[in-house]
Amino acid sequence: MTVDLFAGIPVRDYAAAAAWYERLLGAPPSFLPNDTEAVWELAKHRYVFIEVRPDHAGHAMHTVFVSDFDARIAQIAERGLEPAGRETYDNGVRKATFRDPDGNEIGFGGGPV
C-alpha cells in the first residue's frame, strides 16, 4: 500500500509565503497546481503545500522528522532563518520550530545525538 501525504499550510500572502518556504526548504516548489497554491515534495509521496486561505492562516502545526537534523538546521540558518524555539525531550529527541510570516509552525525533529 502506498500512502501519499499532503500537509496544507494556509497563508495570507502567497508571494511572501512562497519565498519564505523556499528559504526554509532550500528549493523552489516542486509544482504549482494553480495561482494560490505551491507544493514542495519533501520525500517520495510526502508533500507540504501552501494555499491562500486568509481566514485560516497562522494555525498550521507540522513537524517533519529528519535523519540529518543538525545539517538541516545549519543549512536553514545559512539561508537566513533561525528557529523560533528549540527543545530536547527527556528521551534525547530534538526539535527546532520555525514560524512563517503568518505564524504557522513548522518544526524539524531529529533523533538523539
Side-chain angles (χ1 to χ4, degrees):
M1 173 178 73
T2 299
V3 175
D4 290 358
L5 173 66
F6 282 83
I9 302 166
V11 299
R12 286 181 184 85
D13 182 318
Y14 178 84
W20 191 89
Y21 279 94
E22 197 166 313
R23 286 176 53 204
L24 180 73
L25 300 172
S30 302
F31 62 94
L32 304 169
N34 56 52
D35 292 344
T36 63
E37 293 180 78
V39 181
W40 286 263
E41 184 174 21
L42 303 181
K44 189 174 182 178
H45 304 290
R46 292 162 187 90
Y47 304 86
V48 295
F49 69 95
I50 61 168
E51 181 179 4
V52 176
R53 295 184 70 187
D55 293 342
H56 298 283
H59 299 286
M61 295 172 47
H62 301 300
T63 300
V64 179
F65 207 86
V66 296
S67 61
D68 63 344
F69 178 81
D70 293 317
R72 178 82 49 126
I73 301 309
Q75 291 165 356
I76 294 169
E78 288 172 6
R79 294 190 293 270
L81 298 177
E82 291 293 331
R86 292 178 180 256
E87 298 176 76
T88 300
Y89 300 101
D90 291 341
N91 62 0
V93 169
R94 298 162 295 153
K95 181 180 178 185
T97 303
F98 296 84
R99 289 198 174 78
D100 75 7
D102 289 308
N104 292 303
E105 179 181 299
I106 185 159
F108 291 92
V113 181

